[in-house]
Amino acid sequence: MATTLHDVAKLAGVSAKTVSNVVNDYPHIKQATKERVLAAIAELGYRPNLSARGLRSGRSGVISLIIPDLRNSYFAELADAVMHAAAQRGLYVLIEQTGGDREREAALVRGPRTQLVDGILYSALELGEEDVDILAEVRTPMVLLGERIFNAPNDHVTMQNTEGVRAATEHLIASGRRRIVAFGAHPGEEIGSAGLRLVGYREALDAAGLPYDEALVREVEIWHRLDGAVAMRTMLDEGVQFDGIVAFNDALALGAMRVLSERGIRMPEQVAIIGFDDIDEGRYSLPSLSTIAPGRDQIAETAVDLLLERIERRDESFPPRLVLADFELVQRESTAFPAA
């Protein structure tokens, strides 16, 4: 038979109410009592009944993280950071993938599963500013992630896309690069990661007095390694001359680096390359990849904290908040030397 709360109480020598208070992280419990209860929980392998707890408290202790694609290393590492932050606050995380499909993005926040969780962390890829009404209909507390929607009635935690890519481009310019590729553009996009990052690229060129060359702005619709490799192979075949690359994410950079190596192009001596996201693979590529670390852990912790506050104060109304995480330029081997 499954271990019950009363079994834990008996072994710890406390009341069932005390065990419940420990499980629910009630603050006013003596440390010695808490440690005795936790030891009994560990010894008996007790697992709280979340459904029963939810019926009593009106809360499940579960939040939902809705993201485009776990195959994208950034989102996989973001999910890990969110789960870690949530666990520290006594929450469980249900992860949903949209695949960047517009209908699924809308369905997941409109569907009945939103009633099974206490709150939602939501990163859209296809919904945009014109879809604010969809989010306004959602009654479950929600915090937005990403760069697609900026005027919704929700708290929003995101990264400094424009400032980060401007810093990356300035880093290459400072090392003597003059023909710098913007790798991963989405033509016509203004709101979204690609659009915001292209603005940062152009700002850096303008500040340095360098011309903006359309031939150096390369469209890559999907930001995976394969797509970066295909786009780089096409660019080399076209004979475009360049000595630096600002890749709009690390996966694109890694795909491009593979092709540059195949063609015998030395990095960073002939071409310096920098990415964005600071995913783990970049530390182990050859050469190791310089990148913009966008503050992933800060994003995760801040988003969970804001969501938890909205859950606990859901009967109150207060204005939405926008938080921009701090970023850091991480220099590694791929930008270590000046241009030849």
Side-chain angles (χ1 to χ4, degrees):
M1 293 180 63
T3 301
T4 68
L5 182 143
H6 293 280
D7 296 328
V8 175
K10 182 177 180 180
L11 180 59
V14 298
S15 68
K17 178 62 175 175
T18 298
V19 175
S20 177
N21 287 342
V22 171
V23 168
N24 288 285
D25 202 24
Y26 186 73
H28 305 298
I29 303 174
K30 291 181 179 179
Q31 187 61 30
T33 301
K34 184 175 182 179
E35 290 175 358
R36 198 160 67 247
V37 171
L38 291 175
I41 288 173
E43 181 176 338
L44 295 174
Y46 172 66
R47 295 291 182 270
N49 185 326
L50 296 178
S51 297
R53 186 199 301 180
L55 289 173
R56 291 191 299 270
S57 68
R59 288 172 53 180
S60 65
V62 179
I63 62 173
S64 177
L65 172 64
I66 301 176
I67 53 178
D69 185 3
L70 283 170
R71 293 178 301 166
N72 182 312
S73 296
Y74 172 77
F75 288 115
E77 293 184 19
L78 176 65
D80 179 74
V82 167
M83 292 175 71
H84 180 73
Q88 289 183 321
R89 293 154 179 79
L91 298 171
Y92 297 88
V93 181
L94 172 66
I95 299 176
E96 299 272 13
Q97 297 183 83
T98 65
D101 180 80
R102 178 181 172 81
E103 291 186 5
R104 181 162 172 77
E105 286 183 349
L108 282 174
V109 293
R110 283 172 161 167
R113 276 186 287 188
T114 60
Q115 306 303 314
L116 303 177
V117 296
D118 295 331
I120 302 168
L121 299 177
Y122 185 58
S123 178
L125 198 61
E126 289 299 321
L127 296 185
E129 297 283 279
E130 68 278 9
D131 299 303
V132 168
D133 289 347
I134 293 176
L135 303 186
E137 297 170 2
V138 181
R139 294 293 171 255
T140 303
M142 180 162 57
V143 172
L144 300 180
L145 307 172
E147 299 79 39
R148 292 291 300 165
I149 304 171
F150 282 91
N151 296 306
N154 307 89
D155 294 330
H156 187 179
V157 184
T158 187
M159 58 186 69
Q160 298 186 56
N161 290 276
T162 299
E163 296 83 354
V165 167
R166 175 167 178 161
T169 309
E170 289 173 342
H171 174 61
L172 295 189
I173 293 170
S175 73
R177 316 292 164 160
R178 292 298 179 266
R179 298 274 300 167
I180 300 171
V181 177
F183 199 62
H186 293 167
E189 179 179 284
E190 295 182 5
I191 301 299
S193 299
L196 294 170
R197 293 177 192 185
L198 185 61
V199 170
Y201 167 81
R202 297 196 67 162
E203 286 180 353
L205 294 184
D206 290 344
L210 294 177
Y212 177 79
D213 186 347
E214 289 284 357
L216 296 175
V217 179
R218 308 304 293 192
E219 178 181 358
V220 191
E221 186 65 28
I222 306 299
W223 287 1
H224 290 161
R225 297 174 193 81
L226 171 63
D227 306 279
V230 170
M232 179 51 59
R233 196 169 288 119
T234 299
M235 187 173 183
L236 292 173
D237 290 343
E238 291 174 359
V240 177
Q241 298 298 306
F242 58 94
D243 59 6
I245 302 170
V246 175
F248 285 2
N249 81 345
D250 286 351
L252 289 176
L254 293 170
M257 289 168 69
R258 170 72 188 200
V259 173
L260 291 170
S261 295
E262 290 173 351
R263 298 290 181 95
I265 297 172
R266 300 188 309 278
M267 298 168 283
E269 293 88 346
Q270 293 174 277
V271 173
I273 183 166
I274 186 168
F276 195 113
D277 282 343
D278 192 26
I279 64 174
D280 193 52
E281 292 112 301
R283 295 173 174 83
Y284 304 102
S285 61
L286 288 174
S288 56
L289 178 63
S290 296
T291 188
I292 298 296
R296 181 172 45 249
D297 290 345
Q298 182 186 357
I299 290 171
E301 291 185 7
T302 302
V304 171
D305 281 340
L306 292 180
L307 184 61
L308 189 55
E309 183 179 4
R310 289 288 179 179
I311 292 167
E312 293 174 344
R313 301 172 59 187
R314 64 183 304 160
D315 294 331
E316 302 178 36
S317 176
F318 48 101
R321 297 158 289 185
L322 172 64
V323 179
L324 299 176
D326 300 323
F327 71 88
E328 177 187 1
L329 192 152
V330 180
Q331 181 175 342
R332 300 194 182 107
E333 295 165 345
S334 68
T335 62
F337 299 104

